[in-house]
Amino acid sequence: MPPSEGYECDMFPDYVAMYYKRIFPYNQYFRWLSYGQDLKQCFQKREFCFTLADDVYVRFLSFKDQEDMEAEIKKRCPHKIDIGAIYNFRPKDHKTVTVFSPRSKELVFDIDMTDYDEIRICCSGAEICNKCWKYMTIAVKVLDLALRQDYGFKHILWVYSGRRGIHCWVCDASARMLSQAARSAVAEYLQVVKGGDDTNKKVTLPFKLHPSIKRAETIAKKYFTEVVLEDQDMLGTPERWKKFLKHIPDQGLQDTLDKLMPQCSNSSQRWNIIQSEVTKAINKGDKKSLKKNLLTEIILQYTYPRLDINVTKGLNHLLKSPFSIHPKTGRVCVCFNPQKADEFNPMNVPLVSQLLDEINAYDGEKSENMEEYKKTSMKECMVLFDSFLASLARENNVQKAEENDKRLEF
Amino acid sequence: MEFGGRRALRRKRIQAEASYSSGLQFYKEPPTGNVSLTEFDEMAFERLKVLRAVERLNLSGYIKNSEEWITKLYEEFAKNKFFIILAEKNTKSNTDEVQKARRQDHVSHFILRLAYCRTEELRRWFITHETDLFKARFLQATRIGSDIRNFLAINNLHYTSITAEEKQSERENLLASSMNVTGDTMEGMTFYKVPFIDALELVRQRKVFLKQGYAYVPETDLATLVTSSFRSKLSHDMTTTCRALPELDSDERLVNLLHDFDQRYTGKDYSSKKHGDTCRITPDMIDTLANKSFPPCMRQLNDTLRTTHHLKYNGRVIYGLFLKAAGLNLEDALFFWRSHFLKNMDVDTFDKRYSYGIRYNYGKEGKKTDFSPYGCIKIIMGNIAPGDVHGCPFKHSDVAILRQRLVAYKVSNQVIDEIMELVNKRHYQIACQRYWESIHGVPIDAGINHPNQFFEESQKFLNGGVQPSQGKKQSEVKTTPTFMYSSQSSTQSSTQSSTQPSTQPATQPSGGNTMTVSEEIDMYFDDDIEAAMLEQCME
């Protein structure tokens, strides 16, 4: 993504300093990570990692309380903040203990637009635009629903990663306590697109379609025409449709379809032909390699969320913190509403330079005593975060009451 | 079983101090009472033979946990008159003998815990095979209609079943999620509703219906649930036992016996340089070596590195560790990676971003572990995402691409066809073995189970002209979906199966004993995951 208007990469250190001095929402951030619990048990054992100027990483930072954290961030002005796990000892003391291991952490997911390079023509690498961003919209919808319906998770925070992807933080207490084995199982349950550059066909489904797959397919079908056929025009050129047809494991059928492709004038027509020919061939039943769910497999290969499952599996994996600023784009890692994923526009995400301008403009006209971010376009995202915190607080209170009860029982 | 007036029993050497009401055991509590040293050794040894039988069967090509597999296993037990047969007999018949066998079951399990808790590798082997054994016994008990309910009740394994209403309302979902459930069998089938964390194997493979954090497990998958509890409990207990080891070490008698067990299990995991390992390679040799002696997985990584001058994280780790074990020292490694990466970036960026990782792999940073290179199983089971090139080409590459590559590597069409046939049957490592044979022009006895083994055999052959471990061609060995490399060369020739010529010396240089099994030291996955993955690869 090219540097956004008004934002100059060289000025990043200055912006970051001002941002952490005046805008970063320390109160809410602390409320989130303390989870309403005794600081000694929870917040003080959380690992933070700062990336300072010149890519200097400082791991195993931990703080006593909000004041301590705030002071440290303002002092060091990290270019990036990563959040790690809650350990059995305070991370800053980790060298003094023999067994230092992670105890809990949010269940996280990371989806990166570069993993979609093979199915987008509008951009590649770090670039994104509104067209390919729709893949992220599909991903949000599929994952959010799976996490809520299949796993019963409720406190899910979706965050823009600042440049080319999204992060998902599942903050339910039960999610935070998941073992590495459990995280791995959840990640593999959710992973459908598998395989590297050498694998053409990345989705293989069994005869029976699992309800979560069916659900994902229903969502994907709503977007398939618009995104895959129209925006990305995946059947628009001979090169592209030949690549597409390779997903059909029967050479004969591939060749037949290849000959029919030029007769159509656009991707949608070609897809219709492919669908009908494949269905015919499957129903005929004489080719063993053509399985019942081939069309579903193809649709999902082009739409299903492509997860980086190593991020999900690791109990001590560091992930960029919400509300960080991305150095190359200047965008704030804002949270957004998954229910309104269609409306989220990464091009409209507040720039740090913009935020600072907005504060100045605001102060120029009125002078009120309020948290600075409320004077900026970050306000909306913070309203969302506040409601997220409110419902999380309800769970925290329930949990705390249960724990107190447990202590009272003999 | 009453003990009231049975004073005579107490005089017997093995005293059944507790009564065992079920043929199956969860091994929750350690046994009490006295055991003589001879019995100690005998019991443990017999159990070891049982576990080895399980191990051998895993390699035999029968699908794990299938009816055939279980039948074969029990045939083996009966043939050797293992205690298992007696222990599982219906209690209505023989009581003394049955109780004695059950006690042996109990005691021997705990003895082996002591012998196998010492290192992670041993623990892994033990847990995997004890769990396999348990699952087989559980399935057998279900098959012959033993009282499973009793067993579950004694061990507090209560699973809630769903109501008829819920079964009706979720009927479609249940049918679609579980493999063994059909329209016909649904009617009489019980479904258990358990928290999803108790059914991870099923969740991982997406073979169970999930709703609001609960897994709806059909009774046909009950074995998986129970086995899952068994495995996690055992895993947990093994770690506890390990911590208690220092106390046990003070008893000399035990130390001798247990130390013995330990010694039988040595083998190559290529983790550290031993005396006599003089092989050293330098960066200038790599490209030539890659074409001559690297296995396809590593050759692929090197090719990608040569053309794009970059590899993603997993590729760097896997290839880096392979090169390390092949003899590339740290200084040369830094030079090698830098020479490629500098084509895309400046020295500072490389030093900042990549040199740490290289030193980390050599045990010079962070927790300073000298990591072992990945073996075949790990590479085969690894996760491959878009953009990755680090898998096993026989498994992860598309058939057409694999064929193209083999042609480019100058493998003859006939051999390519053989290889593709093997790949089709999921015999990836045997395919690799055929590839080795093809590029060297001679057959090789040993199965390929580690990239560095491939390399070493190749180098040995090319440099010394020594024929690789010859011997009778293993035509009678049933091929398996995946071969597992063993670090446990069996010296107990009496228990070897007929597939291996029994004259093979125990010091076979290339680990030619194809029956035994090993798990590599695994730093990225924990016990449960690896065990589950291995289970998956067996199915």
Side-chain angles (χ1 to χ4, degrees):
Chain A
M1 208 162 133
S4 339
E5 300 102 49
Y7 170 71
E8 292 156 40
C9 288
D10 300 335
M11 301 261 308
F12 178 74
D14 299 307
Y15 287 137
V16 138
M18 288 298 283
Y19 175 75
Y20 285 123
K21 193 164 156 210
R22 301 178 70 179
I23 307 181
F24 187 86
Y26 295 100
N27 290 337
Q28 286 97 323
Y29 192 70
F30 178 77
R31 264 172 60 209
W32 169 38
L33 293 176
S34 52
Y35 287 105
Q37 289 180 28
D38 182 358
L39 296 187
K40 286 204 190 69
Q41 291 319 313
C42 187
F43 185 75
Q44 289 181 0
K45 294 182 177 161
R46 167 82 69 171
E47 179 192 357
F48 291 88
C49 169
F50 285 178
T51 306
L52 307 176
D54 290 326
D55 277 344
V56 174
Y57 296 115
V58 188
R59 274 196 74 172
F60 301 114
L61 292 167
S62 59
F63 310 114
K64 208 172 72 178
D65 52 25
Q66 179 178 334
E67 208 184 302
D68 186 23
M69 174 183 74
E70 210 175 312
E72 198 64 21
I73 293 179
K74 285 179 178 167
K75 187 172 96 179
R76 306 239 219 167
C77 295
H79 288 197
K80 184 161 86 118
I81 302 180
D82 287 291
I83 301 177
I86 295 173
Y87 284 80
N88 56 344
F89 284 97
R90 278 182 241 157
K92 65 178 187 190
D93 299 331
H94 77 283
K95 291 212 173 113
T96 66
V97 293
T98 40
V99 183
F100 178 67
S101 58
R103 281 278 161 274
S104 67
K105 191 175 76 79
E106 294 74 10
L107 175 66
V108 293
F109 297 89
D110 179 355
I111 307 180
D112 200 313
M113 209 66 213
T114 39
D115 289 337
Y116 288 79
D117 277 355
E118 59 173 13
I119 55 174
R120 55 177 182 153
I121 58 169
C122 50
C123 310
S124 73
E127 301 169 333
I128 58 161
C129 69
N130 287 108
K131 282 192 188 169
C132 50
W133 187 260
K134 291 180 197 165
Y135 281 128
M136 291 290 131
T137 310
I138 302 174
V140 172
K141 294 197 164 178
V142 169
L143 272 188
D144 195 65
L145 213 47
L147 291 169
R148 282 176 207 277
Q149 285 188 358
D150 297 348
Y151 291 96
F153 293 133
K154 298 188 181 55
H155 307 284
I156 306 177
L157 187 66
W158 285 95
V159 183
Y160 173 56
S161 76
R163 187 161 60 157
R164 60 186 191 207
I166 48 183
H167 297 158
C168 172
W169 297 76
V170 184
C171 303
D172 296 56
S174 59
R176 301 191 321 260
M177 295 310 299
L178 290 177
S179 66
Q180 185 147 323
R183 279 161 215 262
S184 170
V186 172
E188 288 183 41
Y189 174 94
L190 292 169
Q191 189 194 41
V192 171
V193 182
K194 301 185 216 185
D197 285 346
D198 261 10
T199 315
N200 218 317
K201 193 153 188 310
K202 297 186 162 79
V203 178
T204 316
L205 299 171
F207 188 76
K208 285 195 201 182
L209 280 187
H210 190 272
S212 71
I213 300 287
K214 267 197 236 148
R215 182 184 55 214
E217 190 191 11
T218 311
I219 297 173
K221 276 186 171 159
K222 294 196 194 129
Y223 291 87
F224 189 77
T225 307
E226 183 195 336
V227 178
V228 181
L229 300 175
E230 289 168 12
D231 286 344
Q232 302 301 333
D233 200 26
M234 283 282 110
L235 293 168
T237 66
E239 190 194 332
R240 272 183 238 141
W241 75 60
K242 279 192 208 299
K243 191 162 172 237
F244 191 98
L245 291 176
K246 282 214 176 77
H247 301 314
I248 296 169
D250 181 82
Q251 193 60 47
L253 187 54
Q254 268 187 45
D255 295 336
T256 313
L257 286 167
D258 193 40
K259 293 198 191 82
L260 293 171
M261 295 287 98
Q263 296 171 17
C264 312
S265 52
N266 63 33
S267 286
S268 294
Q269 285 184 5
R270 293 190 187 108
W271 174 240
N272 287 337
I273 301 256
I274 293 174
Q275 278 182 296
S276 71
E277 289 300 313
V278 167
T279 312
K280 252 197 295 184
I282 292 175
N283 288 339
K284 205 163 164 202
D286 57 352
K287 298 199 178 169
K288 271 194 276 185
S289 58
L290 293 176
K291 305 253 163 71
K292 179 183 134 226
N293 295 316
L294 179 57
L295 290 172
T296 307
E297 289 171 351
I298 295 177
I299 291 174
L300 290 181
Q301 178 155 343
Y302 280 80
T303 52
Y304 192 92
R306 298 176 169 218
L307 308 171
D308 180 352
I309 67 173
N310 288 322
V311 171
T312 307
K313 286 185 182 183
L315 189 46
N316 54 1
H317 197 103
L318 293 167
L319 190 61
K320 184 158 72 176
S321 169
F323 314 121
S324 284
I325 311 276
H326 197 294
K328 302 232 170 59
T329 61
R331 303 262 182 209
V332 182
C333 298
V334 292
C335 53
F336 61 90
N337 189 346
Q339 310 302 331
K340 298 194 185 154
D342 289 299
E343 294 160 32
F344 179 77
N345 183 355
M347 310 302 157
N348 274 346
V349 170
L351 291 161
V352 64
S353 46
Q354 171 195 352
L355 295 178
L356 294 167
D357 289 340
E358 284 167 354
I359 292 182
N360 291 332
Y362 193 100
D363 285 346
E365 291 177 32
K366 347 177 183 178
S367 60
E368 279 175 48
N369 204 2
M370 64 157 77
E371 278 142 317
E372 305 262 40
Y373 72 78
K374 288 196 179 147
K375 305 172 187 170
T376 72
S377 3
M378 248 182 88
K379 194 164 92 169
E380 200 188 307
C381 137
M382 295 317 297
V383 165
L384 182 66
F385 194 60
D386 279 334
S387 77
F388 165 77
L389 288 176
S391 75
L392 188 58
R394 284 192 286 277
E395 185 189 65
N396 290 342
N397 290 337
V398 167
Q399 246 221 319
K400 207 166 183 177
E402 279 172 10
E403 256 157 55
N404 285 336
D405 285 344
K406 272 193 216 146
R407 276 196 219 113
L408 290 174
E409 287 166 11
F410 293 109
Chain B
M1 184 175 169
E2 275 79 50
F3 281 88
R6 305 222 187 197
R7 291 181 185 280
L9 255 186
R10 289 207 196 101
R11 285 189 217 120
K12 286 197 182 161
R13 285 163 97 204
I14 294 177
Q15 305 192 20
E17 296 208 356
S19 67
Y20 298 90
S21 54
S22 169
L24 283 175
Q25 297 192 40
F26 228 59
Y27 312 109
K28 273 205 230 170
E29 297 297 327
T32 52
N34 300 320
V35 174
S36 76
L37 282 177
T38 333
E39 280 158 1
F40 191 89
D41 194 54
E42 280 170 6
M43 283 202 222
F45 186 47
E46 191 174 331
R47 192 180 195 91
L48 192 56
K49 286 195 266 192
V50 168
L51 294 182
R52 291 258 187 76
V54 173
E55 186 185 59
R56 269 202 305 283
L57 201 61
N58 280 346
L59 291 175
S60 67
Y62 294 105
I63 301 174
K64 206 161 96 157
N65 301 321
S66 67
E67 290 221 10
E68 277 178 310
W69 187 81
I70 300 176
T71 312
K72 281 275 177 230
L73 189 63
Y74 272 80
E75 274 172 21
E76 182 79 13
F77 290 164
K79 195 168 83 180
N80 290 290
K81 299 205 179 67
F82 287 147
F83 62 87
I84 302 226
I85 302 289
L86 261 182
E88 290 180 5
K89 257 196 171 150
N90 206 318
T91 35
K92 281 191 205 122
S93 54
N94 230 303
T95 45
D96 268 7
E97 281 199 340
V98 170
Q99 287 296 314
K100 185 171 155 183
R102 289 180 183 179
R103 179 169 160 78
Q104 181 173 350
D105 188 358
H106 191 189
V107 175
S108 60
H109 172 89
F110 276 88
I111 298 174
L112 286 193
R113 279 197 191 186
L114 296 176
Y116 280 83
C117 63
R118 215 167 282 272
T119 71
E120 198 170 319
E121 191 177 351
L122 288 177
R123 283 198 294 272
R124 215 177 283 275
W125 187 91
F126 181 68
I127 293 170
T128 304
H129 292 91
E130 278 284 336
T131 308
D132 283 350
L133 176 64
F134 177 80
K135 189 160 188 182
R137 295 174 70 182
F138 189 89
L139 287 171
Q140 173 76 344
T142 322
R143 261 172 60 180
I144 64 179
S146 296
D147 195 2
I148 299 282
R149 262 176 268 262
N150 183 29
F151 167 71
L152 293 177
I154 311 172
N155 288 289
N156 284 322
L157 294 167
H158 302 291
Y159 299 111
T160 330
S161 31
I162 64 175
T163 61
E165 290 86 38
E166 199 169 6
K167 193 160 109 172
Q168 190 52 40
S169 69
E170 296 294 354
R171 197 192 142 84
E172 286 311 309
N173 287 327
L174 293 171
L175 268 174
S177 313
S178 298
M179 281 205 316
N180 301 321
V181 174
T182 60
D184 303 325
T185 56
M186 271 264 333
E187 295 322 312
M189 195 174 287
T190 317
F191 283 83
Y192 299 101
K193 182 171 154 176
V194 300
F196 82 89
I197 50 181
D198 290 340
L200 288 183
E201 269 83 86
L202 296 170
V203 170
R204 183 193 313 282
Q205 298 173 71
R206 219 182 296 119
K207 284 187 178 160
V208 69
F209 175 57
L210 287 188
K211 189 169 104 170
Q212 295 301 317
Y214 285 91
Y216 288 65
V217 183
E219 62 184 79
T220 44
D221 282 327
L222 184 59
T224 314
L225 274 188
V226 180
T227 310
S228 170
S229 297
F230 181 88
R231 182 188 287 119
S232 43
K233 176 151 193 343
L234 184 56
S235 183
H236 177 261
D237 286 353
M238 289 302 276
T239 322
T240 316
T241 311
C242 182
R243 279 194 223 126
L245 266 186
E247 289 169 32
L248 299 163
D249 275 348
S250 60
D251 189 329
E252 263 180 45
R253 306 169 295 171
L254 290 183
V255 168
N256 289 334
L257 275 165
L258 298 177
H259 192 53
D260 215 89
F261 270 86
D262 224 307
Q263 275 197 336
R264 298 177 195 162
Y265 304 103
T266 54
K268 278 193 108 167
D269 64 355
Y270 299 95
S271 54
S272 48
K273 288 275 153 237
K274 301 181 174 68
H275 291 301
D277 276 1
T278 51
C279 177
R280 229 203 98 182
I281 65 174
T282 51
D284 52 305
M285 295 161 69
I286 290 179
D287 285 337
T288 333
L289 281 176
N291 293 346
K292 284 201 303 191
S293 294
F294 282 11
C297 48
M298 299 303 160
R299 196 167 167 179
Q300 180 177 319
L301 284 164
N302 196 54
D303 286 341
T304 309
L305 193 55
R306 274 218 308 224
T307 44
T308 64
H309 302 293
H310 186 82
L311 279 181
K312 285 180 115 177
Y313 176 72
N314 284 318
R316 295 199 297 275
V317 171
I318 293 177
Y319 192 42
L321 290 176
F322 168 79
L323 289 174
K324 179 177 81 163
L328 188 70
N329 67 27
L330 176 56
E331 201 184 304
D332 286 336
L334 284 165
F335 175 83
F336 172 69
W337 291 99
R338 199 179 283 134
S339 68
H340 280 291
F341 278 52
L342 287 194
K343 304 261 187 335
N344 291 327
M345 63 187 69
D346 58 58
V347 182
D348 286 329
T349 315
F350 175 82
D351 282 337
K352 243 185 276 177
R353 293 220 201 126
Y354 298 102
S355 62
Y356 179 91
I358 299 170
R359 288 198 305 280
Y360 187 83
N361 283 340
Y362 280 75
K364 302 288 181 223
E365 296 279 2
K367 58 180 179 161
K368 304 227 171 89
T369 312
D370 195 9
F371 293 105
S372 323
Y374 286 31
C376 289
I377 295 285
K378 196 156 159 185
I379 295 178
I380 288 171
M381 298 302 300
N383 187 61
I384 311 291
D388 286 333
V389 289
H390 62 264
C392 169
F394 297 105
K395 176 174 182 195
H396 295 119
S397 293
D398 272 355
V399 165
I401 296 180
L402 178 60
R403 191 174 266 272
Q404 258 176 15
R405 187 169 282 140
L406 291 172
V407 169
Y409 290 167
K410 306 224 176 19
V411 180
S412 75
N413 278 329
Q414 189 202 352
V415 176
I416 294 184
D417 286 336
E418 279 178 50
I419 289 180
M420 297 319 271
E421 185 63 38
L422 289 165
V423 164
N424 201 27
K425 296 205 186 99
R426 285 160 48 205
H427 298 325
Y428 309 120
Q429 286 163 274
I430 305 183
C432 195
Q433 183 181 342
R434 277 308 282 124
Y435 169 77
W436 192 102
E437 290 176 353
S438 153
I439 61 173
H440 294 89
V442 294
I444 180 171
D445 224 20
I448 298 296
N449 22 59
H450 200 294
N452 286 93
Q453 175 208 11
F454 185 110
F455 176 68
E456 279 185 16
E457 286 291 334
S458 173
Q459 284 292 288
K460 237 174 23 191
F461 174 69
L462 293 173
N463 295 333
V466 175
Q467 293 286 58
S469 34
Q470 290 286 10
K472 224 158 56 157
K473 196 84 184 180
Q474 302 284 333
S475 50
E476 62 268 28
V477 173
K478 288 201 177 68
T479 56
T480 67
T482 50
F483 243 57
M484 302 243 280
Y485 172 60
S486 169
S487 75
Q488 311 197 15
S489 41
S490 168
T491 55
Q492 306 295 326
S493 50
S494 56
T495 58
Q496 289 195 4
S497 81
S498 59
T499 54
Q500 190 77 354
S502 52
T503 51
Q504 288 224 0
T507 49
Q508 193 69 252
S510 55
N513 189 330
T514 55
M515 306 181 309
T516 46
V517 170
S518 102
E519 277 80 73
E520 289 100 1
I521 295 171
D522 186 346
M523 65 227 174
Y524 296 114
F525 305 90
D526 74 7
D527 286 358
D528 293 349
I529 300 176
E530 170 108 53
M533 284 191 336
L534 290 166
E535 190 174 30
Q536 200 176 3
C537 87
M538 290 303 207
E539 260 150 15

